Amino acid sequence: MDKARIGVTGLAVMGRNLARNFARHGHSVAVHNRTPSKTKALVDEFGHEGTFLPAETPEDFVASLERPRRLVIMVKAGAPTDAVIDEFAPLLEPGDMIVDGGNAHFADTRRREAALRERGIHFVGTGISGGEEGALHGPSIMPGGSAESYEALGPLLEDIAAKVDGTPCCTHVGPDGAGHFVKMVHNGIEYADMQLIAEAYDLLRHGSGLGPAEIADVFRTWNTGRLESYLIEITAEVLAHVDAATGKPFADVVLDQAEQKGTGRWTVQIALDLGVPVSGIAEAVFARSVSGHADLRRAARNLPGPSRTGGAGEGFADAVEKALYASKIVAYAQGFHEIQAGSAEYGWNVDAGAMATIWRGGCIIRARFLDRIRAAYEADPATPTLLTDDHFAEALGDAQDAWREVVATAARLGIPAPGFSTALAYYDSLRADRLPAALTQGQRDFFGAHTYRRVDRDGSFHTLWGGDRTEVEA
């Protein structure tokens, strides 16, 4: 039998579906798993979908691949990924490539890429978004690595990726860890988007007194307009669902503790290292953290709060829609700012507009809204923030009164809305003529002689606070 064009090792749900996706598109696929029974089960159940070349040993797997070998590993991030690399790399030759399709930390990807490059092997850290359905039917794919590796690998990835208006949701992101970095930030934006949607639900539930089924109808209406997205669509489905065991709304029987796998937290940690404010993403991560501290919440449950009598008033749902859209703009603006900062720090030359383009389909945050982001970066690739794009600036101006009303109403009724609140604070911080940071810097100079700069002349200065308070040039 002819050799396979590409191989997949690690046949859990994502790996299995990715292998099937390649096969369905006419590519012969070598398949391997540490447990051979999983390989056999894949071929037995789905062998009719295309050409699979099963292998029981790493040696047989590598031998079944055409040169240059394209080996996709779909295993858990961290030590398991290193173990698989250590197992397969000695069997490869210069020019071959290892493609890591897991949610690896980009710093690990940079380390692995540098080590394998010395051996002539291409390491391609690749972000894949869309979950198990996306892996099978067309994900959004964010490959990093060398330009040379993309020449051999890119056409296959573009073939299996989601398509929007005929354009594959896949492009070469940049060198070494760029692909996994962008996937990390994608997931951070996803955290923020989900938190904002959850807050919108909470505000409608406890501010307007709507039930889950009624809120599902609101979300379905929103999904026909500018908020149209996969997350809004599935939110309506989740809210409309009724628990078979109790007959209660599904949203009322799920424990209110949201879990996380780490990519959102990484996004915030790296933003801190880069000095990039991603407060909306951070609040989403912290909101999940708060939800999981059951003992803390239980201890504080009887703390006094405001009366919720009177509710939110007429037209509140429309105000929440505007606040949600405005806050969403802020979250994406912060995420793209981090991508640009990471690109500059590591010399990746990431095309922000291209990232918006490949997120339009396949991925979890796919949305109509991303077309506007793509257009913004096409108009000005160097735009410092999406908030100043003409379209988004107009939308924010139109939404700001409703946005402020929603945040004020949440505070008045005691409904936590950290995502909406911090997004508005970020917006107001950027547009402010002066920030109280001037006072903060004065305090730093007082207690630590950290110096300050002036608005009227160049240089750094220090006031002799413990002496005669004269100013000296630092």
Side-chain angles (χ1 to χ4, degrees):
M1 185 178 290
D2 291 337
K3 294 194 174 186
R5 295 205 68 198
I6 196 163
V8 178
T9 181
L11 300 177
V13 175
M14 284 291 290
R16 181 186 65 193
N17 282 3
L18 203 63
R20 291 173 60 196
N21 194 349
F22 281 118
R24 287 178 169 191
H25 282 81
H27 304 294
S28 52
V29 189
V31 287
H32 168 267
N33 196 78
R34 185 176 58 179
T35 306
S37 59
K38 283 195 173 183
T39 308
K40 184 178 185 302
L42 168 62
V43 176
D44 288 347
E45 189 172 356
F46 303 109
H48 63 281
E49 294 183 338
T51 302
F52 295 98
L53 278 66
E56 289 196 6
T57 68
E59 291 79 7
D60 289 344
F61 179 62
V62 170
S64 68
L65 294 170
E66 69 178 28
R67 295 288 315 280
R69 299 181 181 94
R70 308 168 184 90
L71 192 160
V72 181
I73 58 176
M74 298 296 294
V75 299
K76 289 183 179 180
T81 297
D82 283 321
V84 172
I85 292 171
D86 290 343
E87 184 175 28
F88 282 94
L91 305 176
L92 301 178
E93 299 175 77
D96 292 346
M97 61 201 75
I98 296 176
V99 183
D100 177 12
N103 270 333
H105 194 292
F106 82 98
D108 288 337
T109 301
R110 299 190 78 212
R111 168 179 57 81
R112 293 162 181 154
E113 193 275 339
L116 290 172
R117 190 187 333 128
E118 292 185 357
R119 302 166 65 170
I121 298 170
H122 298 283
F123 186 74
V124 185
T126 302
I128 300 176
S129 179
E132 59 185 85
E133 287 300 304
L136 180 61
H137 299 294
S140 175
I141 308 178
M142 295 151 260
S146 67
E148 181 185 350
S149 68
Y150 194 77
E151 288 180 10
L153 178 66
L156 279 77
L157 298 181
E158 291 177 15
D159 199 20
I160 69 163
K163 311 291 190 301
V164 176
D165 300 328
T167 300
C169 293
C170 173
T171 192
H172 182 224
V173 176
D176 57 74
H180 276 146
F181 183 95
V182 165
K183 176 55 163 57
M184 173 192 75
V185 177
H186 163 286
N187 285 21
I189 294 172
E190 179 185 306
Y191 274 55
D193 213 341
M194 293 175 69
Q195 175 64 23
L196 292 169
I197 290 171
E199 290 180 18
Y201 154 74
D202 206 30
L203 286 161
L204 294 175
R205 184 83 188 263
H206 297 110
S208 295
L210 302 180
E214 294 172 299
I215 301 173
D217 288 337
V218 172
F219 274 85
R220 289 193 180 103
T221 300
W222 288 353
N223 202 45
T224 64
R226 61 184 179 176
L227 285 172
E228 180 189 352
S229 67
Y230 173 71
L231 285 172
I232 292 290
E233 176 188 346
I234 67 169
T235 298
E237 294 299 316
V238 171
L239 288 174
H241 184 58
V242 175
D243 176 55
T246 63
K248 296 180 179 179
F250 176 74
D252 288 347
V253 300
V254 177
L255 186 66
D256 58 340
Q257 295 180 17
E259 299 176 359
Q260 53 184 307
K261 291 187 175 180
T263 46
R265 184 169 62 250
W266 293 347
T267 304
V268 178
Q269 290 169 339
I270 299 305
L272 290 170
D273 292 339
L274 293 170
V276 176
V278 293
S279 50
I281 298 172
E283 286 293 354
V285 174
F286 288 137
R288 292 195 189 191
S289 181
V290 168
S291 77
H293 282 274
D295 291 344
L296 185 66
R297 294 171 58 200
R298 192 177 301 112
R301 194 147 291 152
N302 291 325
L303 289 174
S307 168
R308 289 186 176 178
T309 58
E314 289 288 325
F316 189 60
D318 290 339
V320 171
E321 188 273 345
K322 289 185 176 182
L324 177 57
Y325 188 68
S327 300
K328 184 183 178 84
I329 293 172
V330 167
Y332 279 70
Q334 291 179 351
F336 275 92
H337 183 193
E338 182 168 358
I339 289 173
Q340 291 172 310
S343 178
E345 175 72 16
Y346 299 107
W348 288 330
N349 196 29
V350 176
D351 182 340
M355 298 309 97
T357 298
I358 67 172
W359 289 350
R360 294 181 303 160
C363 71
I364 303 302
I365 62 173
R366 60 187 184 266
R368 177 191 299 188
F369 170 79
L370 283 156
D371 266 324
R372 289 301 324 170
I373 295 179
R374 177 183 55 80
Y377 282 113
E378 282 184 357
D380 181 8
T383 185
T385 174
L386 289 170
L387 272 60
T388 58
D389 170 73
D390 288 345
H391 173 83
F392 290 127
E394 181 179 351
L396 289 164
D398 175 67
Q400 71 155 330
D401 288 343
W403 196 4
R404 297 180 193 284
E405 175 197 339
V406 168
V407 170
T409 299
R412 177 173 61 81
L413 296 177
I415 302 170
F420 283 177
S421 300
T422 196
L424 180 58
Y426 178 85
Y427 172 75
D428 282 338
S429 293
L430 289 194
R431 66 176 197 83
D433 287 333
R434 277 181 64 78
L435 292 171
L439 178 59
T440 302
Q441 195 61 19
Q443 293 169 325
R444 294 183 73 243
D445 187 62
F446 190 105
F447 66 68
H450 292 295
T451 76
Y452 53 87
R453 288 170 292 157
R454 297 177 59 94
V455 299
D456 52 2
R457 60 182 185 269
D458 293 335
S460 295
F461 302 90
H462 168 58
T463 292
L464 302 175
W465 298 102
D468 62 2
R469 301 205 173 186
T470 59
E471 181 178 78
V472 296
E473 191 163 0

